[in-house]
Amino acid sequence: MATTVAAALAAELGLRTGADLRRAAAGGTGVGADTAAAPGTAGAGLAAPHGAAHDESRTSPAIGPPKTILPVTPDISALLPHGGLATVTAITATRRGATSLLWRLLAGPTAAGAWCALVGLPDRYPLAAEAAGADLGRIAFVSAAGPRIADAAGALAEGVAAMVVPSDGLTPPQARRLTARARKGGTAIIWWETRPVAGPDARLKVTRADWKGLRANTGRLWGSGGLDACELDVTARWRSGGARRARVWPYGGDPAGPATPWSWGECP
């Protein structure tokens, strides 16, 4: 039933689904193919962390290559194990600046023409998404609450290229089933991690958020003035055992430097 609903939705709205975005083995076609050879975009080769293959085989079941790799912005690319948005990613929702990171994560796929959906996440500020580079015309905001979150997410799986879902909206068995469908069908799942989920390919966490443009204001929590830019320090832990960190400017500002590899002992 869910697959039928997703197919009908895709046909009616002309959605570019995960299947449309799959890259062929010999170079790929569709979204992501044109950027495959561009540095810092989806498809650009990233050296695997030393010992990553050994760690993954030891700690988790073998997983085949993703069917879809969605392009992301250069400042996000090196934080992800495949250089682009693929299969399952988690963002630690409780961290200040997490919403800005989410919008920046969606900027690349939507700018490339991919459809994304936010399920059961009310009170998001869409103009911030636009400021971060996301195409609002390619983002569906789906109102759902309680058990309807799992129903809506299941119906949209394989019908959109990427989907953001609050982890506490699904039971652990439901989350596992949705993850399995994502891996099989090529839809990228982004867990808005309000409750820990098992086995994301990458878990992104904002360790520091600094807003530029505010001036100190004695006796008040927030300063005066206008916000010019936001600077985020982001860490990424990969399922394979790798780790990265990068500085991201979701709304403009200084150009972000490349992400750097680091060891588990250095993770904050």
Side-chain angles (χ1 to χ4, degrees), residues 241-268:
R244 295 290 188 274
R245 60 183 174 187
R247 186 161 293 169
V248 176
W249 295 75
Y251 308 115
D254 293 344
T260 55
W262 49 330
S263 68
W264 285 103
E266 296 173 313
C267 292

Side-chain angles (χ1 to χ4, degrees), residues 23 35-53 69-70 72-86 201-202 204 236 238 240 242-246 257-261:
R23 300 171 61 206
T35 59
T41 58
L46 287 180
H50 180 68
I69 300 178
L70 301 175
V72 294
T73 55
D75 51 349
I76 296 292
S77 176
L79 289 169
L80 301 174
H82 301 287
L85 190 58
D201 297 315
L204 307 182
W238 297 353
S240 63
R244 295 290 188 274
R245 60 183 174 187
T260 55

Side-chain angles (χ1 to χ4, degrees), residues 10-264:
E12 180 180 350
L13 300 181
L15 305 187
R16 304 183 71 178
T17 67
D20 297 330
L21 301 172
R22 290 175 187 168
R23 300 171 61 206
T29 58
V31 173
D34 293 340
T35 59
T41 58
L46 287 180
H50 180 68
H54 173 73
D55 290 341
E56 179 158 358
S57 64
R58 182 180 60 186
T59 59
S60 60
I63 295 176
K67 294 184 177 182
T68 304
I69 300 178
L70 301 175
V72 294
T73 55
D75 51 349
I76 296 292
S77 176
L79 289 169
L80 301 174
H82 301 287
L85 190 58
T87 54
V88 185
T89 302
I91 293 178
T92 305
T94 55
R95 307 294 296 193
R96 182 177 167 220
T99 301
S100 297
L101 176 61
L102 172 63
W103 293 143
R104 190 60 174 167
L105 185 63
L106 296 181
T110 57
W115 272 87
C116 302
L118 270 69
V119 180
L121 290 172
D123 304 324
R124 301 298 107 180
Y125 188 58
L127 291 183
E130 194 171 43
D135 182 354
L136 287 179
R138 289 283 172 177
I139 301 177
F141 293 84
V142 181
S143 297
R148 292 187 177 273
I149 293 177
D151 295 338
L156 285 169
E158 303 175 51
V160 292
M163 177 168 49
V164 186
V165 186
S167 61
D168 60 2
L170 287 78
T171 64
Q174 288 174 329
R176 288 193 294 270
R177 287 194 293 270
L178 186 62
T179 296
R181 288 193 63 184
R183 294 193 188 279
K184 180 180 179 181
T187 294
I189 299 294
I190 303 170
W191 289 112
W192 185 247
E193 201 174 37
T194 44
R195 180 177 64 198
V197 293
D201 297 315
R203 177 173 280 111
L204 307 182
K205 181 170 70 173
V206 177
T207 57
R208 185 183 64 87
D210 186 14
W211 290 89
K212 308 294 183 181
L214 291 181
R215 299 184 297 273
N217 206 345
T218 304
R220 296 185 181 183
L221 179 61
W222 306 109
S224 60
L227 295 174
D228 298 327
C230 176
E231 180 186 43
L232 305 177
D233 283 344
V234 183
T235 65
R237 294 186 179 186
W238 297 353
R239 188 180 186 192
S240 63
R244 295 290 188 274
R245 60 183 174 187
R247 186 161 293 169
V248 176
W249 295 75
Y251 308 115
D254 293 344
T260 55
W262 49 330
S263 68
W264 285 103

